[in-house]
Amino acid sequence: MVDSIQLAARIRARSVEMSHAAKAAHLASALSCTDIVTILFHSVLKLDPHNPQWDDRDRFILSKGHAASTLYAALAYKGFLTEADLETYGHKGSLLEEHPSPKLPGVEAATGSLGHGLPCGCGMALAGRINSKEYRTFVVMSDGECNEGSVWEAAMFAAANRLGGLCAFVDFNKWQATGRSREVLALDPLADKFRSFGWDVHEIDGHDHKKILDAVIGVSVNRDKPTMVVAHTVKGKGVSFMEDDNNWHYRIPTAEEVQLAKAELGVL
């Protein structure tokens, strides 16, 4: 089986190709969370592509739905989609829309309107407890969506209900659409804020695969605290001319830039 480093490179390269082919934005946002999504799909999530609605599956919600290309590439790796499916990304009539929809096998919730993923995750985690299920629920959020009050309502709800089977990641790439996250709203100290809400918090390098995996090892319905991973990342990670450049929030790569990016990633 492909190792996680190789898989992350392939997913990044696929996201770049898909952005170019579909003329779809948000590429840099997809690249920043690729390592998190890779580790979850490679080493953590219990899923069955032959039975997408399996009652005991782990739940995964990409709350930052604008990074859909990363999710679609990961779903293809797990066998939910084919390479031919990925070619339809962003096309009229395709189920692979620029924000994910639960019409697509392997997608749990429609996301893209930021601030909804964590509340959905709370509901799924609580439903699991009510139904005596041991599945875990994982949510990947953007730092920008922590501007939303619904995130903090959900944070209080999860702690109050001791949802130990819930784990959320903040892809803390320090950028929002129009500026630095810390300048748009006062997010700092983000990790301490979630601690004060009653979460078990880990603050890590969001591109270090071992640290990502270590942060989720203890996630279990038998714990009495939800887990928050504040993952420090770089927008556009993996492609030097895109890294930490917020122009790539909306910019589309040219055919030449696709080849340059794939060469850097070692995927040709």
Side-chain angles (χ1 to χ4, degrees):
M1 184 172 71
V2 63
D3 68 28
S4 65
I5 299 296
Q6 292 173 315
L7 179 59
R10 291 183 187 180
I11 289 176
R12 283 192 166 95
R14 206 67 184 90
S15 290
V16 173
E17 291 175 329
M18 291 163 70
S19 175
H20 169 72
K23 300 297 183 281
H26 303 125
L27 175 57
S29 300
L31 299 181
S32 67
C33 67
T34 296
D35 295 297
I36 298 166
V37 173
T38 295
I39 285 297
L40 291 177
F41 276 85
H42 183 274
S43 304
V44 178
L45 295 170
K46 295 184 299 180
L47 300 169
D48 182 356
H50 302 293
N51 185 11
Q53 297 302 313
W54 175 39
D55 283 347
D56 295 322
R57 72 190 182 280
D58 286 332
R59 273 62 170 171
F60 174 79
I61 300 171
L62 182 68
S63 190
K64 50 175 291 181
H66 51 290
S69 61
T70 293
L71 173 59
Y72 297 151
L75 286 171
Y77 160 72
K78 293 296 286 189
F80 287 88
L81 303 174
T82 66
E83 284 296 316
D85 291 327
L86 296 182
E87 297 292 337
T88 72
Y89 169 64
H91 292 187
K92 184 177 181 180
S94 172
L95 290 180
L96 276 68
E97 300 171 288
E98 289 188 42
H99 290 76
S101 163
K103 292 182 292 185
L104 192 70
V107 175
E108 298 288 350
T111 56
S113 182
L114 298 178
H116 290 183
L118 190 59
C120 287
C122 287
M124 291 176 187
L126 184 59
R129 174 188 294 163
I130 292 169
N131 292 313
S132 300
K133 296 292 185 179
E134 294 191 358
Y135 67 75
R136 300 161 300 169
T137 303
F138 295 87
V139 180
V140 173
M141 306 188 295
S142 67
D143 49 356
E145 73 181 291
C146 292
N147 297 355
E148 299 286 351
S150 54
V151 167
W152 301 101
E153 291 179 50
M156 288 189 285
F157 180 91
N161 287 276
R162 302 187 177 188
L163 298 179
L166 175 65
C167 175
F169 283 81
V170 175
D171 175 22
F172 200 178
N173 63 33
K174 319 300 187 299
W175 282 106
Q176 297 180 28
T178 59
R180 287 286 185 186
S181 299
R182 287 164 172 155
E183 296 169 357
V184 176
L185 272 185
L187 287 184
D188 286 334
L190 188 58
D192 287 343
K193 286 175 179 171
F194 280 107
R195 287 190 186 98
S196 73
F197 274 63
W199 288 59
D200 181 17
V201 179
H202 304 265
E203 194 165 8
I204 65 167
D205 175 348
H207 302 302
D208 186 317
H209 288 203
K210 183 179 185 303
K211 289 180 180 178
I212 296 167
L213 186 58
D214 287 347
V216 303
I217 285 175
V219 176
S220 165
V221 296
N222 298 315
R223 298 191 68 193
D224 62 1
K225 281 187 176 184
T227 299
M228 176 59 65
V229 185
V230 176
H232 292 275
T233 60
V234 176
K235 199 163 186 176
K237 179 66 174 180
V239 181
S240 62
F241 57 88
M242 297 182 188
E243 289 187 355
D244 205 38
D245 181 353
N246 208 39
N247 288 314
W248 287 96
H249 189 84
Y250 292 118
R251 190 179 159 192
I252 312 300
T254 64
E256 181 182 4
E257 288 168 334
V258 170
Q259 294 308 310
L260 288 172
K262 290 174 67 177
E264 281 197 22
L265 292 163
V267 180
L268 293 171

